[in-house]
Amino acid sequence: MTRITQVRTIGVPVADQDRALDFYVGRLGFEKRLDVSYGDRWVEVAPPGSETTIALVRSETPGVDTGIRLTTADAGGDHAELRGHGVDVDAEVLHWQGVPPMFGLRDPDGNRLVLIELTNRT
């Protein structure tokens, strides 16, 4: 067996790292965790307190469904706030029986992420 203990970093393809950094930090409220020269440039961001980071990886082919699921205490409130700040969000928050409220959003490169309301389910 391995000694793997956590997911450290997930890469998201972006055309312009500065534009992506402005979006993730300025619009989503993430923290910039790393910005160094590594061959080209390596940039990582994360929600405050998160151990897992998102690497903004320079790519000629951005615009993917990242599969990344972020959590929030208030999906409706965040949906309204992000929409008000010009973020490309789904038209409405999804409310399905037995499933937490959630909605999709897209970064400036068209990369899709999903924001899910954290509930206290046992």
Side-chain angles (χ1 to χ4, degrees), residues 89-105:
V89 296
D90 290 346
E92 59 187 44
V93 176
L94 298 175
H95 293 275
W96 295 330
Q97 185 173 357
V99 178
M102 68 181 81
F103 66 93
L105 64 101

Side-chain angles (χ1 to χ4, degrees), residues 40-108:
D40 186 18
R41 180 180 177 199
W42 189 258
V43 181
E44 292 182 18
V45 296
S50 176
E51 290 186 29
T52 303
T53 62
I54 295 175
L56 306 175
V57 181
R58 172 101 172 75
S59 172
E60 298 297 322
T61 56
V64 301
D65 185 346
T66 66
I68 296 172
R69 303 305 189 249
L70 305 167
T71 60
T72 179
D74 181 4
D78 283 345
H79 182 268
E81 183 173 340
L82 291 171
R83 175 180 264 171
H85 285 95
V87 174
D88 179 11
V89 296
D90 290 346
E92 59 187 44
V93 176
L94 298 175
H95 293 275
W96 295 330
Q97 185 173 357
V99 178
M102 68 181 81
F103 66 93
L105 64 101
R106 280 137 312 269
D107 72 11

